[in-house]
Amino acid sequence: MKGFMATYRLVTMLVMTLVFGAVAVAQPSGYKYSKSVTINASQVQGTNTDFPVLISVTDANLSSNVENSNGYDIIFTSNANGTGILSHELESFNSGTGKLTAWVKVPSISSGSNTTIYMFYGRSSGTANTSTTATWDTNFKLVMHMEASLVDATSNGNNGSNNGTGAATGLIGNARDFERNNDDYITVADDNSLDLTNQLTISFWLNLGSDIEPDYITKGQNESYEISSRSTRRPFFKRNNNSSSLSSGTTIAQGSWVYLSYVKTTTQKLIYINGNLDTSHNDSGSFDTNSDDLQISRSGDAMDGLMDEIRISSIPRSANWIKTEYNNQLNPVAFITLGPQVEYIPPTAPQNVLATSLAGGNLRISFDDVDESGSGVASYSVKRSATQGGPYTQVGTVTDNESAIYYFDDSTVSNNVTYYYVVTAIDGDNNESVISAEV
């Protein structure tokens, strides 16, 4: 005689998830959503390691599904299964618009092939800022996003003190507005990390407001390193009070953003404009050290215009690095491609599961439709065991077609065996519900 038993068994959510869940892609604990972030090889020059990629996007899914209003439940990983968490700095997040500005340290990006990382979000317990100074490799001695706080994003603590500059819209988030007539500048207290003697890279975005020739970044007046413009807005790179100076022949335009990078190697000084080498000369000398503060703009020779994203490194960044920085920061939308949202919220378990004997000895399993927003239920898995409480083996699937009730006829049963059935729902992202009540 064929048969079935209508017995209900309480199983904890954890056990059911571990034993019976069939999520195709795992995720870090508690995160409900993810997106792939593909770094487009066409935007990268050469190969760059530990590169801080700017992620600047406005995305409706982030507005709807990031649960912390500050964006603290956003993380980045190197793998789709959520392993390999990457260091990142969250610069800003607007929960109303889904506007995200973050920097992610990616182990390697290359012009040879696309690089894909993953962004996870939607975690109710994500209430702490997971930004880390490890986003910036140890060669960075100062990274200042020119927000109101003038905080150094590196571990060196080279924070700025404001002397008159105002807030303005920058190329990346906010910038600082310098008024020459007011002698505006920013001071960074003297620190050993800023005593760079032999090699360095200084880069920043500049938007000149008038036809002037200011100092941009100086370590001591007419001492050590001085980054400025001279001779009708031409970039100028001076070492030790004119003991060695490099002047560009290019005039910087007014009223538009320009990316300047000044590089000192053991044998050369180089100036890059908008990611391209503009000029260079031989210089094997070293910068003197001093106990003076570093100034952005300078009292007595102040800037007039906007500055954004100032970085100082203790190594000469490569031409590949500088060009890739320029591409990434100038057009972050073109630099990456966001994939579709993947959901990790499983459907609810099917209800009203019944088993009925059919003529000929087969068993019919029926159950109600499961409604789910988002990716929607795609199918149902009917599972069976000869032992009450499982383990269960799938004996068939049913495609969801929005019927009110679904039926599955099991024709593989044997005489004189009692069977126990459960049903699960599977959504379009392959998330599987917990099992239904057993019948």
Side-chain angles (χ1 to χ4, degrees):
M1 158 179 192
K2 299 183 179 73
F4 57 87
M5 176 168 280
T7 302
Y8 295 88
R9 177 172 178 264
L10 178 64
V11 183
T12 68
M13 179 74 74
L14 176 61
V15 171
M16 288 191 291
T17 300
L18 291 175
V19 176
F20 305 112
V23 178
V25 180
Q27 78 275 10
S29 177
Y31 288 88
K32 300 182 180 74
Y33 306 96
S34 75
K35 284 178 181 276
S36 62
V37 181
T38 300
I39 298 162
N40 299 318
S42 62
Q43 295 292 310
V44 179
Q45 184 159 306
T47 298
N48 300 281
T49 59
D50 290 337
F51 190 89
V53 174
L54 169 63
I55 308 294
S56 181
V57 296
T58 300
D59 188 277
N61 291 144
L62 298 181
S63 176
S64 299
N65 298 319
V66 170
E67 297 199 14
N68 183 274
S69 60
N70 296 311
Y72 292 166
D73 57 322
I74 299 172
I75 64 169
F76 297 87
T77 71
S78 57
N79 299 306
N81 64 6
T83 59
I85 293 178
L86 300 173
S87 297
H88 80 277
E89 181 195 346
L90 177 66
E91 186 173 336
S92 65
F93 178 68
N94 186 316
S95 60
T97 63
K99 169 66 174 175
L100 169 69
T101 302
W103 303 88
V104 184
K105 185 179 184 180
V106 181
S108 179
I109 59 175
S110 172
S111 58
S113 60
N114 292 342
T115 302
T116 301
I117 61 175
Y118 300 86
M119 175 172 61
F120 286 82
Y121 53 96
R123 183 172 183 255
S124 59
S125 58
T127 58
N129 191 352
T130 56
S131 296
T132 173
T133 58
T135 305
W136 309 95
D137 71 40
T138 56
N139 299 302
F140 282 108
K141 301 307 175 185
L142 181 148
V143 174
M144 192 175 291
H145 303 309
M146 304 302 272
E147 301 290 336
S149 60
L150 299 179
V151 169
D152 174 20
T154 77
S155 61
N156 297 295
N158 289 319
N159 303 326
S161 297
N162 190 30
N163 295 276
T165 72
T169 300
L171 185 75
I172 308 163
N174 293 321
R176 301 309 295 175
D177 186 1
F178 297 79
E179 296 292 338
R180 184 177 179 86
N181 291 339
N182 297 333
D183 207 25
D184 291 347
Y185 64 99
I186 294 169
T187 299
V188 178
D190 177 53
D191 187 82
N192 289 339
S193 63
L194 299 173
D195 286 332
L196 307 177
T197 59
N198 199 24
Q199 302 179 103
L200 60 73
T201 302
I202 298 176
S203 60
F204 52 90
W205 287 93
L206 177 73
N207 191 327
L208 284 176
S210 62
D211 191 10
I212 59 167
E213 299 169 355
D215 287 354
Y216 300 132
I217 296 173
T218 57
K219 184 63 168 68
Q221 186 173 357
N222 295 321
E223 297 179 41
S224 195
Y225 46 90
E226 179 181 299
I227 306 300
S228 61
S229 284
R230 295 291 184 266
S231 304
T232 62
R233 306 191 310 277
R234 296 177 183 179
F236 192 72
F237 190 1
K238 184 167 67 175
R239 175 174 63 81
N240 301 343
N241 195 19
N242 278 330
S243 63
S244 175
S245 300
L246 173 63
S247 179
S248 168
T250 302
T251 297
I252 300 173
Q254 291 178 238
S256 61
W257 286 104
V258 178
Y259 191 54
L260 298 180
S261 299
Y262 296 74
V263 178
K264 174 67 170 67
T265 72
T266 56
T267 59
Q268 285 186 302
K269 287 206 297 292
L270 309 95
I271 297 175
Y272 293 78
I273 301 177
N274 289 336
N276 299 311
L277 179 62
D278 179 75
T279 188
S280 65
H281 75 178
N282 294 331
D283 182 0
S284 58
S286 298
F287 297 105
D288 293 338
T289 60
N290 58 54
S291 58
D292 294 335
D293 295 338
L294 181 139
Q295 290 192 345
I296 301 170
S297 179
R298 185 168 65 79
S299 176
D301 207 352
M303 251 284 293
D304 191 52
L306 309 178
M307 294 183 75
D308 197 2
E309 195 60 31
I310 294 176
R311 299 179 177 183
I312 299 177
S313 297
S314 60
I315 61 171
R317 299 291 182 180
S318 69
N320 288 341
W321 181 284
I322 291 169
K323 184 64 173 180
T324 304
E325 274 187 330
Y326 172 75
N327 290 343
N328 182 205
Q329 296 173 30
L330 178 69
N331 193 348
V333 174
F335 198 83
I336 66 166
T337 300
L338 279 184
Q341 178 172 272
V342 177
E343 179 185 300
Y344 302 101
I345 304 173
T348 59
Q351 301 296 309
N352 297 322
V353 179
L354 300 173
T356 306
S357 295
L358 300 177
N362 295 339
L363 293 175
R364 170 167 288 177
I365 308 303
S366 64
F367 49 92
D368 290 349
D369 178 68
V370 174
D371 291 324
E372 189 202 29
S373 59
S375 54
V377 173
S379 63
Y380 301 89
S381 174
V382 180
K383 306 172 191 288
R384 185 183 74 188
S385 177
T387 303
Q388 185 177 12
Y392 304 99
T393 300
Q394 179 176 287
V395 292
T397 60
V398 178
T399 300
D400 186 288
N401 59 12
E402 299 304 323
S403 298
I405 300 175
Y406 296 92
Y407 301 94
F408 174 78
D409 293 348
D410 188 358
S411 60
T412 64
V413 294
S414 301
N415 289 326
N416 301 316
V417 177
T418 299
Y419 293 101
Y420 303 87
Y421 290 86
V422 294
V423 183
T424 61
I426 303 171
D427 70 16
D429 288 321
N430 218 30
N431 300 305
E432 187 170 15
S433 74
V434 297
I435 60 174
S436 67
E438 184 184 76
V439 298

